[in-house]
Amino acid sequence: MTRLRIAEIFGPTIQGEGALIGEPTVFVRTGGCDYRCSWCDSLHAVDTAYRHDWAAMTTDAVWSRVRGLSGGRPLTVSLSGGNPAIQDFAPLIALGRTEGYRFACETQGSIAKPWFSELDTLVLSPKPPSSGETVDWAAFDACLLAAGNGPKTVMKIVIFDERDYAWARAAADRYPALPLYLQPGNETVDPTQPVDPQTLSDRLLWLVEKVTADGWFTPRVLPQLHVLLWGNKRGV
Ligand code: SF4
């Protein structure tokens, strides 16, 4: 039987970013990622040093946990990571859908999976230069192809600096039909360290002023709501 490698399952809470910001959500965070972004805020789901904390769970066990956390009341289940696209979520999505749950997935767009077409929302989050990673646009295109007309597919880009901003503009030009969400990067990713609300606000303001000054009116600029509310605390 297929086992899913799970770093944590938590909620209900709200989605803190992107197209579903504010949406009541249970998160299924997978363990393992094919990237290693310099500013990753989920290293406990990426770094293999944490692999002994990742549970090998059957689809039924994951579903039972999601159902329990949500009290059997349908809501959005967000598949995140790590990179959830490493694993096979088709059975979980099929199970949840029979009970009216909705599924979203957030991935960098490096691995395409057939189950993308069964999602309600697919958030592709290509990583800008400050991450230290290089986007394989052919792989990204394969993700779009796999999703087809199934989910609402959007692009979300984190911006840390001018170079990221220019890169995001080029990515937007490449995919003009994809709704685009921008968010300022959070440089404090250590969960034991407090975040400074003024710094978060200043970075958001910087990004808002840039897009408006440039007359770039297609993206939506959003904060990371969960960071404003809970800092870098895990499992909320
Ligand atoms: Fe972390 Fe996401 Fe980058 Fe993976 S793709 S290393 S989870 S920020």
Side-chain angles (χ1 to χ4, degrees):
M1 186 182 290
T2 307
R3 299 253 171 185
L4 297 162
R5 212 165 48 240
I6 303 296
E8 55 182 346
I9 301 175
F10 62 93
T13 181
I14 54 164
Q15 171 58 257
E17 55 195 42
L20 297 178
I21 192 166
E23 174 118 351
T25 299
V26 166
F27 286 85
V28 176
R29 188 186 297 288
T30 58
C33 189
D34 46 320
Y35 276 21
R36 184 64 188 265
C37 302
S38 60
W39 33 251
C40 180
D41 61 0
S42 307
L43 274 182
H44 61 299
V46 171
D47 193 333
T48 52
Y50 293 90
R51 69 185 183 284
H52 300 300
D53 298 334
W54 303 342
M57 297 176 74
T58 63
T59 294
D60 283 350
V62 172
W63 180 240
S64 169
R65 181 92 179 109
V66 170
R67 234 180 153 275
L69 287 170
S70 58
R73 289 184 290 278
L75 81 178
T76 293
V77 180
S78 177
L79 310 174
S80 68
N83 186 359
I86 291 172
Q87 307 194 53
D88 181 12
F89 278 104
L92 185 77
I93 295 169
L95 205 51
R97 283 201 140 185
T98 60
E99 297 189 31
Y101 284 70
R102 299 171 297 282
F103 285 83
C105 174
E106 174 145 354
T107 174
Q108 62 265 45
S110 57
I111 298 171
K113 278 290 196 293
W115 52 262
F116 285 177
S117 65
E118 304 301 321
L119 293 163
D120 296 277
T121 308
L122 175 62
V123 181
L124 294 175
S125 183
K127 304 306 177 196
S130 63
S131 69
E133 294 287 347
T134 302
V135 172
D136 176 347
W137 291 111
F140 192 91
D141 289 343
C143 291
L144 290 173
L145 197 63
N149 294 322
K152 175 181 181 187
T153 301
V154 305
M155 185 158 65
K156 189 190 79 182
I157 300 177
V158 180
I159 311 277
F160 278 81
D161 53 28
E162 296 282 352
R163 192 165 165 228
D164 286 355
Y165 180 81
W167 186 93
R169 291 209 68 161
D173 286 346
R174 192 176 183 118
Y175 299 101
L178 281 184
L180 176 61
Y181 295 80
L182 302 179
Q183 68 187 42
N186 168 22
E187 278 165 339
T188 311
V189 293
D190 182 343
T192 64
Q193 296 300 314
V195 295
D196 175 22
Q198 189 58 52
T199 303
L200 295 176
S201 174
D202 289 348
R203 295 186 64 79
L204 181 61
L205 185 59
W206 169 77
L207 190 50
V208 168
E209 288 179 346
K210 274 205 76 72
V211 295
T212 49
D214 287 350
W216 188 21
F217 300 139
T218 46
R220 293 188 183 188
V221 182
L222 293 175
Q224 285 182 298
L225 198 50
H226 56 294
V227 178
L228 286 173
L229 292 174
W230 294 293
N232 292 312
K233 198 170 160 205
R234 289 176 190 159
V236 287

